Amino acid sequence: MKFGRKGFMMAEVVVVSVVIAVVLITLFTGLNRVSSAYEKRDRYYDIDALYLAMMANDALIENGYINTIIKTGNSIKINNDDVNQLLNTYNNDDVNLYFSLYKKGKIDELKGLSTTKETTKEFIDYLGTKFYFNDDYNYVIISEICKNDDDCYYYALKVR
């Protein structure tokens, strides 16, 4: 009778090992998904980039430059002198501002600019999936703050 119990112990060890392995794999998968979503949120909704976009919008409105940009209807990289004073406050960072009307085709035009980085193109693709273009917004100001070439943070400020 003692010989039959050894097989039961081996089966019990295998079953418990499989259950523990499944639980650990499930936990890893869930945590990995949450971690990658948090990293994307951290890069694409950066607070410093938000404040930069808001200050740029205020500066463009105060100086009347925003009306000129809207009338042209082009998607552009903003290089105005008034905004350059803002950009100089970010001493060691590569800072860029982009303007586009709030239309899918217009935002996609930003990818065609010669100065657009690959990470910026990925962000614009991301916006295409997250924006609901039937909303009542007039234009978008996209701010980009890069610590180095591949460490960039973004924000897209939708304005009515």
Side-chain angles (χ1 to χ4, degrees):
M1 291 287 202
K2 292 183 180 180
F3 296 115
R5 301 195 106 203
K6 289 182 183 177
F8 177 74
M9 285 284 283
M10 182 60 98
E12 188 176 65
V13 167
V14 169
V15 168
V16 169
S17 299
V18 167
V19 168
I20 289 174
V22 167
V23 167
L24 289 177
I25 289 171
T26 305
L27 282 173
F28 174 77
T29 305
L31 287 175
N32 192 24
R33 226 177 310 148
V34 168
S35 175
S36 64
Y38 177 77
E39 183 177 330
K40 183 175 277 191
R41 178 171 162 58
D42 185 43
R43 291 199 178 279
Y44 287 173
Y45 297 99
D46 186 57
I47 295 297
D48 289 334
L50 164 66
Y51 286 124
L52 174 64
M54 288 174 32
M55 289 187 301
N57 185 48
D58 292 341
L60 291 171
I61 290 172
E62 285 175 12
N63 298 315
Y65 188 63
I66 196 75
N67 293 329
T68 306
I69 298 175
I70 291 174
K71 285 179 186 175
T72 63
N74 295 332
S75 298
I76 61 167
K77 181 177 177 181
I78 299 172
N79 290 323
N80 189 304
D81 290 335
D82 300 319
V83 179
N84 282 338
Q85 293 173 357
L86 267 173
L87 302 181
N88 291 336
T89 61
Y90 292 87
N91 295 334
N92 297 328
D93 300 333
D94 181 20
V95 179
N96 296 305
L97 291 167
Y98 301 94
F99 174 89
S100 177
L101 295 177
Y102 189 72
K103 296 178 183 172
K104 174 121 176 86
K106 292 294 185 178
I107 292 176
D108 288 340
E109 285 178 8
L110 292 172
K111 292 190 289 187
L113 297 176
S114 61
T115 58
T116 306
K117 297 179 183 176
E118 195 61 37
T119 56
T120 309
K121 292 176 184 177
E122 291 171 5
F123 178 65
I124 292 168
D125 288 337
Y126 173 80
L127 291 179
T129 62
K130 297 299 178 185
F131 278 179
Y132 183 65
F133 289 100
N134 293 332
D135 287 343
D136 187 28
Y137 292 104
N138 294 329
Y139 59 91
V140 177
I141 293 179
I142 297 172
S143 58
E144 170 187 60
I145 302 173
C146 294
K147 310 288 184 204
N148 54 39
D149 285 339
D150 61 344
D151 189 22
C152 297
Y153 299 89
Y154 298 93
Y155 194 84
L157 179 68
K158 300 182 283 188
V159 183
R160 291 180 196 246

